[in-house]
Amino acid sequence: MRDFIAALPREGRWLLATVAIQLLGRGMTLPFTIIYLHEVRGFDLGVAGSLMGLIAIVGLIVTGPGGSLIDRYGARPVILGGLVCAIAGDVMLAFATTPVLAGAALCLLGIQAGVSWPAANALVATVVEGDLRQRYYGVNFALINLGIGVGGVIGGLFVDVARPETFTFAFLANAVTFTAPALVLLGPLRHVHGRAARPAADEPHAGASYASILRRPEVVWLVVIGVLLSTLGYGQIESGFPAYARQISEVSTRVVGFAFVANTAVIVLAQFWVMNRVSGRRRTRVLIATAVIWAVAWVVFGATGLMPGSIAAVVGVVAFQGLFFALGETLMQTAFPSLTNDMAPDHLRGRYNAINSASFQTGAIIGPVMAGFLLEHGRSTLFIAAMVVGCVGIAAGALRLERRITPAVNGLRTPLTQEPARQ
């Protein structure tokens, strides 16, 4: 860790310093927002669930325009705009007594969610280069999980439906944590705009639109892989996984909660080990490794349904989240953002990261719908089979992508990139 931090430029260290702080507040509220809306504010569960869906819907809508704004004005002002929306949304949500006010607050949070990922990745790509960039994305992912995990523990110990004011304080605390990155961007990093110079009009991709970018075969395969990764991964974490674990594997909610804790712990502890192992290797092969590990994970998880309520089911559920799935996540988050940003021309990083973000948000919408439909209709075996087949699709897509990108984009070191590392 010391070597990594020492190798980062000053701007990279400042950006990394705020990650865990920002996500600490998010972890305090994210698992409990629907409980707050339903049990504290008294909204019907269906209304509360629909309001929660606004975050993903609005996020998907604003991702495209956000990418264009990043390329035109730079990543820094877009991030700042998103942080202002997040602060306003959390303050509004803390005092929202009607569905309309809560919906408006969640829409503001959706705006921040939609622009923050592409803008942050694009900003990092302008200040961190080469193999160090890939390592940065891995460390960033570990810190995100650390912040959310610690925040979730704090929130679980603090918030209480019998004391509504605890939820108000939690949302206000979340708003305060968003000020940390804002102050860094307005202070030490006020000179970093995150905007690349536009090339001459006659150069390739000088004025590329989303339509022209999406006509590139390598981008199409990147989108396919992103949708599958999200559908089988994050799209199931808060839907298919807990539903199958409770209804089919018949484990307790405590076991489900412990599995999430184990997932966070493995990601935080294993990230550096994973980064060292994949550095200089083909990123597409890293994604294939992710697919293989996740396929094994889903098979193990599916087998817990054959022995419901048993110790073996408990072990299988925890192993799914805490070992197999977490290890696959560390591989994916080390390779996929770097692949996207090395593929993108400098002046189009906003759009490329927006496409990346939109593919993951699409999967996050498809995943819960698919899981809910299959499990509600008693198709648990088909659900597991669909997950395994999807993993095969990730591996196949990664192989197709590998044929269409250069070795440098795929993360292979050349003599020119190796030499500075030895100095």
Side-chain angles (χ1 to χ4, degrees):
M1 184 67 174
R2 286 194 300 269
D3 292 341
F4 168 74
I5 295 297
L8 282 177
R10 171 179 171 274
E11 294 83 0
R13 291 195 292 270
W14 273 112
L15 288 174
L16 203 62
T18 64
V19 174
I21 297 174
Q22 179 180 342
L23 273 297
L24 182 69
R26 191 70 179 131
M28 289 176 60
T29 59
L30 181 63
F32 311 107
T33 302
I34 194 167
I35 297 173
Y36 166 73
L37 295 175
H38 177 54
E39 298 187 36
V40 176
R41 294 307 182 188
F43 303 161
D44 291 341
L45 190 57
V47 173
S50 299
L51 289 173
M52 289 294 295
L54 288 174
I55 296 178
I57 294 171
V58 172
L60 183 60
I61 291 172
V62 303
T63 294
S68 299
L69 291 173
I70 293 167
D71 290 336
R72 184 175 182 85
Y73 299 107
R76 176 176 166 274
V78 173
I79 294 175
L80 284 171
L83 291 171
V84 170
C85 289
I87 293 170
D90 273 314
V91 172
M92 187 182 299
L93 194 58
F95 301 101
T97 55
T98 67
V100 173
L101 286 176
L106 291 167
C107 284
L108 288 171
L109 293 176
I111 293 173
Q112 193 270 338
V115 301
S116 63
W117 187 358
N121 282 346
L123 188 62
V124 168
T126 63
V127 299
V128 184
E129 299 180 348
D131 185 58
L132 194 62
R133 181 190 296 165
Q134 178 168 299
R135 293 169 62 83
Y136 183 101
Y137 287 130
V139 174
N140 184 72
F141 178 62
L143 290 177
I144 287 173
N145 279 271
L146 179 63
I148 291 178
V150 174
V153 171
I154 295 173
L157 295 173
F158 177 70
V159 299
D160 184 355
V161 294
R163 296 184 296 143
E165 68 275 9
T166 60
F167 285 88
T168 299
F169 291 145
F171 285 110
L172 292 177
N174 191 18
V176 171
T177 61
F178 281 119
T179 63
L183 292 174
V184 168
L185 291 172
L186 291 171
L189 299 186
R190 59 185 179 277
H191 63 287
V192 180
H193 52 69
R195 182 182 66 251
R198 296 183 63 84
D202 57 345
E203 293 186 21
H205 313 298
S209 63
Y210 279 111
S212 62
I213 293 172
L214 288 170
R215 282 196 291 268
R216 301 182 63 183
E218 65 271 27
V219 175
V220 172
W221 284 114
L222 193 72
V223 170
V224 170
I225 294 170
V227 171
L228 287 174
L229 285 169
S230 181
T231 300
L232 309 182
Y234 301 120
Q236 304 304 331
I237 292 300
E238 296 178 8
S239 56
F241 165 71
Y244 189 97
R246 291 287 295 135
Q247 297 176 16
I248 311 301
S249 307
E250 297 182 8
V251 300
S252 68
T253 54
R254 181 173 295 180
V255 171
V256 174
F258 183 75
F260 276 100
V261 174
N263 175 273
T264 300
V266 170
I267 289 173
V268 173
L269 294 174
Q271 190 66 65
F272 270 95
W273 180 84
V274 168
M275 288 189 308
N276 290 334
R277 294 302 179 276
V278 304
S279 179
R281 300 181 184 274
R282 288 183 177 90
R283 291 161 181 162
T284 50
R285 303 296 173 89
V286 175
L287 294 177
I288 291 172
T290 298
V292 172
I293 292 171
W294 279 5
V296 173
W298 282 111
V299 170
V300 170
F301 186 50
T304 63
L306 302 177
M307 35 195 167
S310 66
I311 295 297
V314 171
V315 172
V317 168
V318 175
F320 168 79
Q321 271 278 33
L323 179 60
F324 298 111
F325 202 81
L327 184 58
E329 284 183 275
T330 60
L331 289 167
M332 176 191 68
Q333 289 292 350
T334 299
F336 201 75
S338 300
L339 196 59
T340 302
N341 281 280
D342 283 359
M343 185 187 299
D346 290 345
H347 68 290
L348 295 177
R349 280 213 177 94
R351 288 176 173 86
Y352 272 75
N353 280 288
I355 291 171
N356 179 340
S357 179
S359 69
F360 270 74
Q361 290 176 25
T362 300
I365 294 171
I366 295 174
V369 173
M370 180 175 66
F373 176 83
L374 292 176
L375 295 178
E376 183 180 357
H377 290 83
R379 306 289 186 180
S380 58
T381 302
L382 182 58
F383 168 69
I384 297 296
M387 298 297 103
V388 175
V389 171
C391 291
V392 175
I394 293 171
L399 286 174
R400 295 298 297 270
L401 177 61
E402 184 175 303
R403 299 170 189 163
R404 297 183 175 275
I405 58 178
T406 65
V409 169
N410 208 7
L412 288 180
R413 293 172 178 164
T414 64
L416 289 176
T417 58
Q418 288 176 349
E419 185 63 30
R422 293 195 295 264
Q423 292 179 349

